Amino acid sequence: MAKRIVVALGGNAILTDDPSAQAQQAALVTTAQQLVGFLNDTENQLVVTHGNGPQVGNLLLQQINGGSAKNPAMPLDTVGGMTQGELGFWLSNALNKAFKAKDITGDVATIVTRTVVDAADQAFQKPTKPIGPFYTETEFTAIKNEHPDWTLVEDAGRGYRRVVPSPKPTSIVEANVIKEIVANGTTLVAAGGGGIPVMTKSDEFVGVEAVIDKDFSAAKLAELVDADELVILTAVKNVYIHFNQPEEQKLGKIDVATAKQYLAAGEFAAGSMKPKIEAAVSFVEKTGKRAVITSLDNVENYINTEDGTIIEP
């Protein structure tokens, strides 16, 4: 049965230990070879979204270090747009290559995407998303003086980092366009890095200094384009409860109520699996469709045997 599928790629699908352009492109070639499995049914429609945290951090640092009065550094929202284009370019090329190897017909395209957030979101009062490098205690004062508008926090004894707001998405500006393009059979890369965060002010969109969690934006995108399935690809094949404890238990198929019970019980780490479960639950509750969390390496097994963690209505 043909399906419209939104796939959210984790960082391991793009960045290895080598941050060079060549290494990231090579990683995406391998990633694309896995993704084309979702098109074994030639009637399926595929939208791919991805993270961009390391790329945003690296580019922002380059901008700051290389900025001058005549060539000023760009703000965070614009840097997010730059990395959407960068990664979309690489991923589109990789998908075209994978299509050719598998004799799959059809076009591939990338759309730079804006994600609407609410100015009243409490995330703007308490920035939590770390970006960029670590700073030592001796560097802290100089960085704070140089960038007085930054929020710097101590990070687990490893130094200080800049943190920015991570608001929840309320809408996707290009959702209707994305839906139309995908319905015509184009495989689309969209909402990279969670999308460029924007607010509406005086009937226009204005970029804001924030980073949106890509799993939440993927869930919102999947909801708005009427996806039949949301697939969140991460580093592990299954979600676990009682993780790393003697009673550790792998989760296969569960219903959304059970997933919410595990969330309430604090079973999932805040900076790791928790946002993926929350995003999956949001999509399932709002659409009545199902969400899947598994690993990139397990895509073929999931497609053939439904091996992975599946959250159903």
Side-chain angles (χ1 to χ4, degrees), residues 243-266:
F243 186 62
N244 274 343
Q245 299 174 31
E247 65 272 29
E248 180 179 274
Q249 180 184 337
K250 179 174 72 174
L251 298 180
K253 282 187 180 181
I254 60 172
D255 61 35
V256 72
T258 302
K260 291 175 74 173
Q261 289 172 5
Y262 291 145
L263 277 169

Side-chain angles (χ1 to χ4, degrees), residues 7-10 14 48-56 77 79-81 83-85 87 111-117 129 165-174 178 189-198 208 210-222 224:
V7 176
L9 295 175
I14 305 169
V48 183
T49 186
H50 56 81
N52 68 347
Q55 292 81 9
V56 162
D77 55 331
V79 172
T83 55
Q84 270 199 54
L87 292 167
I111 182 167
V112 175
T113 312
R114 294 163 292 174
T115 303
V116 182
V117 297
K129 184 73 171 178
S166 186
K168 296 287 177 64
T170 63
S171 188
I172 307 284
V173 177
E174 290 78 13
I178 291 168
V189 181
I196 304 165
V198 296
V208 293
V211 173
I212 300 169
D213 185 283
K214 70 102 175 46
D215 295 315
F216 287 116
S217 67
K220 178 58 68 174
L221 179 63
L224 294 175

Side-chain angles (χ1 to χ4, degrees), residues 14 20-30 86 89-91 93-94:
I14 305 169
S20 69
Q22 292 82 1
Q24 292 183 74
Q25 289 176 79
L28 284 169
V29 167
T30 302
E86 170 190 64
F89 163 52
W90 292 344
L91 185 50
N93 282 352

Side-chain angles (χ1 to χ4, degrees), residues 167-308:
K168 296 287 177 64
T170 63
S171 188
I172 307 284
V173 177
E174 290 78 13
N176 288 336
V177 177
I178 291 168
K179 186 176 177 181
E180 184 175 338
I181 293 172
V182 173
N184 287 331
T186 298
T187 295
L188 197 59
V189 181
I196 304 165
V198 296
M199 294 178 184
T200 52
K201 292 183 179 180
S202 301
D203 296 325
E204 64 177 315
F205 294 112
V206 178
V208 293
E209 296 255 314
V211 173
I212 300 169
D213 185 283
K214 70 102 175 46
D215 295 315
F216 287 116
S217 67
K220 178 58 68 174
L221 179 63
E223 173 196 338
L224 294 175
V225 302
D226 296 331
D228 298 295
E229 190 168 274
L230 169 65
V231 180
I232 297 175
L233 297 179
T234 184
V236 292
K237 187 169 71 171
N238 288 83
V239 178
Y240 287 80
I241 56 172
H242 314 308
F243 186 62
N244 274 343
Q245 299 174 31
E247 65 272 29
E248 180 179 274
Q249 180 184 337
K250 179 174 72 174
L251 298 180
K253 282 187 180 181
I254 60 172
D255 61 35
V256 72
T258 302
K260 291 175 74 173
Q261 289 172 5
Y262 291 145
L263 277 169
E267 285 287 354
F268 310 116
S272 178
M273 194 57 70
K274 183 179 179 181
K276 298 180 190 339
I277 297 290
E278 289 177 332
V281 164
S282 173
F283 172 73
V284 175
E285 285 194 313
K286 289 178 179 177
T287 67
K289 308 293 177 59
R290 73 179 189 174
V292 181
I293 301 174
T294 191
S295 65
L296 180 65
D297 293 339
N298 193 55
V299 165
E300 185 176 355
N301 285 336
Y302 165 67
I303 291 168
N304 294 331
T305 67
E306 297 200 332
D307 182 17

Side-chain angles (χ1 to χ4, degrees), residues 18 38 53 66 75 122 164 207 298:
D18 182 352
F38 289 108
Q122 289 301 303
V164 298
N298 193 55

